[in-house]
Amino acid sequence: MSENKENVEEMKAETLNDVQANNSENTVEADNVENAEETTEEVAEPTVEEQLEAALAKIEELKNEALYKAAEFDNFRKRVIKEKAELIKVGGENVMKAILPIIDDFERAEQMMDKAEDVAAVKEGVMLIIDKFLKQLATEGLQKIDCIGKEFDTDYHEAIAMVPGQPEEMKNKVMDCVQAGYMMHDKVIRHSKVAVAQ
């Protein structure tokens, strides 16, 4: 009986030891978990030096990006200037090609003037060439400013003379055009020189 009692006591002691050992293992594991969490927290929060290094890297990246954009814009600007210059050059070339047949007509008319006896026929030929020339210029956007009998307007006219003693209804109207004015695509490129009724 005492032997059984001793066995029970031994078993209790072993169970107690096992429980204590388990508790100590659990405590160690809990400590390890807490330490791991602390370590994770430390890794998650970078140091001031690391923050500064990251900020400097970002600044360098943005600086390179800004330089790239500036270089790209400069190349675009140069390309546009070059294309515009080529467009003006080609546009002028097209106008000259359109005028060349008219120059040929004037040269033929000049040759005929020496042989012609009928002045009216020569005059009619020259008028046809001038009309052809003006039509060609109109296709390029040139328009003659119609001014006689119109109200004087400084946007289109330049007064070079005043004509006194005109009827009341003619006052401030264009009486005569000394030099024709022209517009190119609705922009005045030369004002009409006119005499205005006073």
Side-chain angles (χ1 to χ4, degrees):
M1 187 88 169
S2 63
E3 220 174 90
N4 281 344
K5 202 170 182 185
E6 282 176 17
N7 284 342
V8 169
E9 289 295 325
E10 278 179 24
M11 285 177 73
K12 279 184 184 177
E14 282 177 15
T15 305
L16 187 60
N17 286 340
D18 287 344
V19 169
Q20 286 175 346
N22 282 342
N23 283 343
S24 66
E25 282 177 15
N26 288 341
T27 307
V28 169
E29 283 179 16
D31 288 343
N32 288 342
V33 169
E34 285 177 17
N35 289 339
E37 286 176 1
E38 287 173 12
T39 308
T40 307
E41 286 174 10
E42 286 174 11
V43 170
E45 190 176 313
T47 63
V48 174
E49 289 83 12
E50 290 172 337
Q51 289 176 351
L52 179 61
E53 197 174 300
L56 289 173
K58 185 70 175 171
I59 289 169
E60 192 64 30
E61 181 188 330
L62 292 172
K63 191 169 143 186
N64 289 339
E65 192 177 319
L67 286 171
Y68 174 76
K69 295 285 184 191
E72 193 176 288
F73 179 74
D74 193 46
N75 289 341
F76 168 75
R77 186 180 57 79
K78 287 177 184 174
R79 189 171 62 249
V80 166
I81 289 170
K82 184 180 177 185
E83 287 173 0
K84 190 175 180 183
E86 286 176 9
L87 188 64
I88 290 168
K89 182 180 173 185
V90 171
E93 185 179 313
N94 290 340
V95 171
M96 291 302 130
K97 281 181 182 175
I99 291 174
L100 288 176
I102 297 164
I103 292 172
D104 295 339
D105 289 345
F106 273 121
E107 287 174 349
R108 280 193 288 276
E110 184 185 15
Q111 290 169 1
M112 292 303 292
M113 283 179 196
D114 294 335
K115 301 173 189 174
E117 294 176 5
D118 187 5
V119 176
V122 171
K123 183 179 177 183
E124 185 183 346
V126 171
M127 292 305 293
L128 286 171
I129 295 170
I130 290 171
D131 188 49
K132 180 180 178 181
F133 184 54
L134 290 174
K135 282 180 181 171
Q136 185 59 50
L137 291 176
T139 62
E140 299 296 330
L142 188 76
Q143 295 174 317
K144 190 174 184 179
I145 298 172
D146 185 26
C147 57
I148 295 177
K150 304 275 173 145
E151 196 75 26
F152 177 72
D153 186 349
T154 54
D155 288 340
Y156 302 103
H157 311 129
E158 180 185 338
I160 58 167
M162 300 299 281
V163 183
Q166 297 301 315
E168 191 66 33
E169 65 271 6
M170 288 300 294
K171 285 203 176 182
N172 206 34
K173 289 195 176 176
V174 175
M175 296 291 295
D176 188 26
C177 181
V178 179
Q179 186 180 63
Y182 290 91
M183 296 171 68
M184 185 82 169
H185 301 295
D186 299 325
K187 180 187 175 190
V188 175
I189 58 172
R190 186 173 83 179
H191 290 79
S192 301
K193 293 185 178 178
V194 296
V196 183
Q198 199 173 21

